[in-house]
Amino acid sequence: MKTETIVLNETRNVTLTAYRLDCGEGFGCVPKRPAVLVLPGGGYQMCSDREADPVALAYAKAGYQTFILRYSLGKDAVWPNPLDDYEQAMALIREHADAWCLYPDKIAVIGFSAGGHLACAAATMAKNRPNAAILGYAVAGAEVKACCPTAPDTVAQVDALTPPCFLFATRTDNLVPIHNSIDFMSALAAQGIAFESHIYAYGPHGFSTCESTIQDMRPETICQRTSHWVEDSIGWLRDVFGECSVNGMGEPLCPSHMNDDHEPFLSVACTFGHLMQNETAAAILQPMIDALISNLSDNAAGMAAAFDDSDGPSMVQGMKLCDLLAYGNISDEALQALDAQLHQIENK
Amino acid sequence: MKTETIVLNETRNVTLTAYRLDCGEGFGCVPKRPAVLVLPGGGYQMCSDREADPVALAYAKAGYQTFILRYSLGKDAVWPNPLDDYEQAMALIREHADAWCLYPDKIAVIGFSAGGHLACAAATMAKNRPNAAILGYAVAGAEVKACCPTAPDTVAQVDALTPPCFLFATRTDNLVPIHNSIDFMSALAAQGIAFESHIYAYGPHGFSTCESTIQDMRPETICQRTSHWVEDSIGWLRDVFGECSVNGMGEPLCPSHMNDDHEPFLSVACTFGHLMQNETAAAILQPMIDALISNLSDNAAGMAAAFDDSDGPSMVQGMKLCDLLAYGNISDEALQALDAQLHQIENK
Amino acid sequence: MKTETIVLNETRNVTLTAYRLDCGEGFGCVPKRPAVLVLPGGGYQMCSDREADPVALAYAKAGYQTFILRYSLGKDAVWPNPLDDYEQAMALIREHADAWCLYPDKIAVIGFSAGGHLACAAATMAKNRPNAAILGYAVAGAEVKACCPTAPDTVAQVDALTPPCFLFATRTDNLVPIHNSIDFMSALAAQGIAFESHIYAYGPHGFSTCESTIQDMRPETICQRTSHWVEDSIGWLRDVFGECSVNGMGEPLCPSHMNDDHEPFLSVACTFGHLMQNETAAAILQPMIDALISNLSDNAAGMAAAFDDSDGPSMVQGMKLCDLLAYGNISDEALQALDAQLHQIENK
Amino acid sequence: MKTETIVLNETRNVTLTAYRLDCGEGFGCVPKRPAVLVLPGGGYQMCSDREADPVALAYAKAGYQTFILRYSLGKDAVWPNPLDDYEQAMALIREHADAWCLYPDKIAVIGFSAGGHLACAAATMAKNRPNAAILGYAVAGAEVKACCPTAPDTVAQVDALTPPCFLFATRTDNLVPIHNSIDFMSALAAQGIAFESHIYAYGPHGFSTCESTIQDMRPETICQRTSHWVEDSIGWLRDVFGECSVNGMGEPLCPSHMNDDHEPFLSVACTFGHLMQNETAAAILQPMIDALISNLSDNAAGMAAAFDDSDGPSMVQGMKLCDLLAYGNISDEALQALDAQLHQIENK
């Protein structure tokens, strides 16, 4: 393993520390690796060592190339300085992808507390977005102004380009209220962005990797399940990036978006609710749905009710059309023909 | 272990099945146990066997007395029939607490899908509330009307009496949209109710306990972490009920409420934001805070900013007063005196 | 789930209790299941309830049909009465395989302490052998005579027909010395029988499933890893039986024997040491080995040393011939031809 | 984290690489840490990179100071050169304990394959013994001569000074036969040395930390439980060293020896069998045992049989005297008096 610290901005004291693992074609080795960029917390006043090396080591152990960004702090933390620091770091890492043996399209950021705010901003506002974001007890919302008055509320910034996110926090965090995580995941859900989230029953702010050398881990202090986030986040990265193994780089198991509602053209993988808002699509689908309901009505009266929206949103609105039509035993050919037809319609 | 099925309502075909473990004072035994009442899913049209025995067995293995309620279905599922079935079952269990060797104040409900809706209703609307609720891919919101038009949206029913909740679901559930879980936890957070939640990256609806004999568990079908909910929910019940062990019944590690904002009188365990809305409390606290900020200002200017709400809610609003004052090195005696003073003020 | 207790021998008070899970072709169900027969411990003087229901529930939760045998005790525990009880139970279970929805060739025994002795006897001496044996802090050796003077030392009985075994115990067991487990696994290794074993650093005798309602689980009393045996034994059964899932019954991943040294005829999957003891095989192999060594000698002198047995057993003796020849880049055709040749030679 | 490589022997190309974590009195930090010295495998012909950095990273993540020794290889691997390299490295580490922020009496070695042989030698033969040894698919026995003809069989070297050991291997290792691990643990048991051992059902040699970037981890290749050794070994080190945490350095939970049979004087924590071989002790104990048996005989006839050694070793021989006398309800005072009496008798 090679270690190196690169000064990104001398005036603002911004540095990038790299822990680079060996790569190669040899026995038990891989030619390239995915990477993680760590953004420690500290209220934009400091970069906590607790959330630097220990975090990098957790992902290095799992086979990732790891980097720690010490970004602009204190009086230098005027927005968008910290985000600019991120942009500079991410650009540098991607430029050196070959030299540093990493996949330029498999780079996650992980941020904690205020560093979590910066990770949220990177995921939602950066030109050079990460490919995944891990958000630890992140200051996602307007509370950020308490420690960095010029920093934006990132909840409002979640868009269709936001990469998959993994959120974790403790319910009783008494520094960053839990609604920060809830509001951010709610915005992700509204945009159809893939995410995973773990909110543990109780524990303090700032627990980092939950190693006993970093955090008092007695059960009276912190919910014992909290430590699971480390392994779970590694498993999740494998799901969204694909597995990096001696057998090669695998396909992702978890799609970035759960449906095609945000793609340029419509498809059978759009939700029923989304399709029916489009006049052209609705005209195609209405007869099919009428037939589906009338065929169902004999043996599955309850299913018909699923389409009824007289008392609010119907149960089927969030279902993908292909999943829905599967109840009507549609043939593969018919489904493909329908998909081709929908692909003609622009998604606006 | 003794098994028994009790008919609760012959007309509506409502039954309660009990799996009762041995108890006693003997070698390696406990005199009483906590209990779990299982509410299987099935769109209020059926009670799925997948979510009955396997779930009961998981908690029986962990030492719980377990019960399965098969509630009113189909045409009998007119509200409040299913909730009445629950009330009848819970009353019966609590009445027989001694005879059935269980703690009447340590009974959780666990419900899945539509059964999760019933569990939400039990937790928020019942006369005979459970002591904890586990909500699996629950239909919490208005979507319930698609399968039971007369059933209520339970998100709106969350109140200060709602017991601690444990929520789990998969992000890509294509039958019950994930916002059901998010909205319910958001309502719990707003009420200060203890909860834990796990939203896994991808997977189908209706995975039950994730045993391979019940659910296709291949990684291309379902996120492998999904199976963790079973052990995690058992650990969480231990946190909120206390550990039932051969050494006796332990104290809960996780409080039901994370602060005293919902107690009848104020205290130092209320949040700063809540206290400052009360005129009497604000008059007491303002001078203390002014002193705290002025003392901090030399060495922790950032902390002062935490109180600034000119750009939105200040960072300290969600902090408990006792945690906040710890930054100012308040003495134990002064804190106790302040607590006594606040306890004179009614919380309204 | 159906429960039933069958009296096997009224005079000796022998009973078989069954917990039978539902089966079928329906939604989320399997047509048949593997099974586990539980043999509780108690020094052949009692059958401990701690090692009965809780153990059956652990495997029932995992989808197994489970049975508890309460065998001959005290003055009735004259050998071979307990083994006869086992034979009767296993015969009955296999006869009812269809009616009770289980696979007759996928039945494990699990025994604890003295029940572990009976499980060792079943695995090594019974006419009706189990398909796998799980041995918990088992009295495998001559110590059994202290609690049942007529019972045999089972270590000496391990033979080529012994099924795969899973052993677990705590190193500091102060009732059954750890050499019982070591000696039994040593005998299994000598016979080439598949096994897995976990000896945990410290803990008492008789911990059963390590649920806190059964055993004092504080870390000062017992090594916290001890509880892993339950899940690990379930994973191991899956490895040796194949996975029982909604996708069908899978192939075993772990072979019963690690090589063909105990098969009726020789093969390339016999160990090199075993083959060279056979004159006919040695005559075929010697020239191949000479060529292999002489080709290796340029670039891998160390490998040649691996064949040198002047200072004791050579490193390659325990290697399978096919693995060994892979170092010499033998072609698939040549390997198959050699295998066919060896299959002509009787293994004696 | 600081990294440094120190040349120990230029002629033989021996180096020590250090990964040293930050220490201090600050927020979330510890003043000193336990340490691990890694000995990679490679048949004394090479030092495998697979078993170097990835192993060091696993323990660094867990908070250990870590070191990798690249010892004498090939023609330089004439015994005792590799052991001398170890002695030099361990002496250097202990000398720099303060400067490098580590506990000089909490240093483990971990060795793999041939490096496992060196770890066995360090644990049993070195002047400067480690405080614990982790032995991965170690060449413990005479097989070592195949790759290093001058190296000793370490099984025969296990003595009363051997530190606690943690062993792991796969049952089907086709390079280092499993009896290496079994024989070594058998020798440890005979000497009363604390150990933990995990033998997994199947898998290849040389799997290192089981990360997918190092080892093909598909279930058809390797038993999935094999990867557990990493976390389990870290938990075990915590048991034998005590927990290093922000709350201070804790007491060990697992004693180095399971009884006092190897202490200079006798005590009630010696085994009954050991005490009865000493004439003076036997004269004291025989009347107590006679009384114990005669009191038991009414209600626990089976217990009396536990003392009967007419058919081989009696059940109670391996029990500690204090545990045994607990069955006779001996008073604390009487037990202390007896202990004082036994402490007068030299253990020879």
Side-chain angles (χ1 to χ4, degrees), chain D residues 87-107:
Chain D
E87 296 273 17
Q88 195 182 347
M90 183 57 87
L92 190 77
I93 294 169
R94 287 205 168 118
E95 277 162 28
H96 289 76
D98 280 345
W100 293 349
C101 297
L102 57 86
Y103 294 102
D105 60 346
K106 296 184 188 300
I107 307 176

Side-chain angles (χ1 to χ4, degrees), chain C:
Chain C
M1 191 175 66
K2 288 172 194 61
T3 66
E4 186 183 7
T5 294
I6 300 165
V7 176
L8 296 189
N9 186 315
E10 204 161 350
T11 319
R12 299 206 304 256
N13 207 20
V14 176
T15 62
L16 184 69
T17 300
Y19 294 127
R20 299 207 311 268
L21 302 177
D22 297 337
C23 285
E25 299 291 343
F27 181 54
C29 213
V30 289
K32 286 189 179 184
R33 299 169 183 273
V36 169
L37 172 60
V38 181
L39 308 172
Y44 282 119
Q45 308 303 315
M46 58 175 292
C47 270
S48 169
D49 286 338
R50 295 160 55 94
E51 292 156 355
D53 272 1
V55 177
L57 283 168
Y59 293 97
K61 172 194 174 263
Y64 286 76
Q65 305 290 17
T66 54
F67 301 87
I68 300 167
L69 176 64
R70 290 187 168 81
Y71 47 83
S72 298
L73 298 172
K75 65 177 174 40
D76 293 323
V78 180
W79 205 258
N81 282 359
L83 187 57
D84 286 347
D85 301 337
Y86 159 82
E87 296 273 17
Q88 194 182 347
M90 184 57 86
L92 190 76
I93 294 169
R94 287 205 168 118
E95 277 162 28
H96 290 76
D98 281 344
W100 294 349
C101 296
L102 57 88
Y103 293 103
D105 59 345
K106 295 184 189 299
I107 307 176
V109 285
I110 175 166
F112 299 82
S113 194
H117 174 268
L118 184 49
C120 287
T124 58
M125 305 170 66
K127 286 189 295 290
N128 222 333
R129 303 270 179 111
N131 306 104
I134 302 174
L135 308 169
Y137 38 90
V139 187
E143 276 94 346
V144 71
K145 297 190 185 303
C147 62
C148 180
T150 54
D153 177 343
T154 62
V155 173
Q157 305 290 336
V158 173
D159 62 9
L161 297 177
T162 303
C165 294
F166 180 99
L167 301 95
F168 65 93
T170 51
R171 160 74 185 103
T172 59
D173 189 315
N174 60 6
L175 200 57
V176 176
I178 196 63
H179 74 80
N180 278 271
S181 292
I182 298 175
D183 293 349
F184 199 82
M185 83 173 95
S186 199
L188 293 170
Q191 289 284 348
I193 306 300
F195 73 86
E196 174 153 328
S197 104
H198 299 277
I199 300 180
Y200 303 100
Y202 65 98
H205 186 77
F207 47 79
S208 185
T209 56
C210 293
E211 295 292 340
S212 62
T213 46
I214 304 173
Q215 167 67 42
D216 175 356
M217 286 303 295
R218 289 174 298 185
E220 56 267 34
T221 303
I222 188 165
C223 165
Q224 298 297 286
R225 294 173 294 289
T226 309
S227 64
H228 298 182
W229 79 260
V230 180
E231 278 310 301
D232 285 355
S233 74
I234 290 167
W236 176 80
L237 281 179
R238 211 182 290 131
D239 287 345
V240 297
F241 283 170
E243 183 174 50
C244 179
S245 85
V246 290
N247 305 313
M249 189 72 215
E251 284 302 304
L253 293 172
C254 176
S256 297
H257 290 80
M258 70 178 286
N259 56 50
D260 283 359
D261 285 3
H262 299 274
E263 297 298 310
F265 292 89
L266 298 181
S267 84
V268 295
C270 292
T271 62
F272 179 66
H274 184 76
L275 289 168
M276 293 303 280
Q277 285 168 16
N278 180 297
E279 272 184 35
T280 322
I284 297 168
L285 295 176
Q286 196 60 57
M288 302 182 69
I289 297 304
D290 291 345
L292 176 66
I293 293 177
S294 98
N295 284 335
L296 284 170
S297 56
D298 291 343
N299 52 6
M303 189 71 193
F307 288 89
D308 181 10
D309 56 5
S310 54
D311 286 305
S314 83
M315 187 118 181
V316 299
Q317 287 212 342
M319 290 179 71
K320 283 191 268 189
L321 182 62
C322 51
D323 292 334
L324 185 57
L325 294 177
Y327 284 89
N329 296 320
I330 191 172
S331 72
D332 283 358
E333 293 73 28
L335 193 66
Q336 283 168 26
L338 178 60
D339 198 41
Q341 209 174 351
L342 292 172
H343 265 98
Q344 307 296 326
I345 309 172
E346 208 180 330
N347 187 8
K348 35 186 185 185

Side-chain angles (χ1 to χ4, degrees), chain D residues 26-60:
Chain D
F27 181 53
C29 212
V30 290
K32 287 189 177 181
R33 299 168 182 275
V36 169
L37 173 59
V38 181
L39 308 173
Y44 282 118
Q45 308 302 315
M46 57 174 293
C47 270
S48 171
D49 286 339
R50 297 158 55 94
E51 291 156 356
D53 272 1
V55 177
L57 284 168
Y59 293 97

Side-chain angles (χ1 to χ4, degrees), chain D residues 11 16 20 40 57 64 93 104 134 165 169-170 186 189 208 224 243 249 280 286 291:
Chain D
T11 320
L16 184 68
R20 299 207 310 268
L57 284 168
Y64 286 75
I93 294 169
I134 302 174
C165 294
T170 51
S186 199
S208 185
Q224 298 297 287
E243 183 174 50
M249 190 72 215
T280 322
Q286 196 62 55

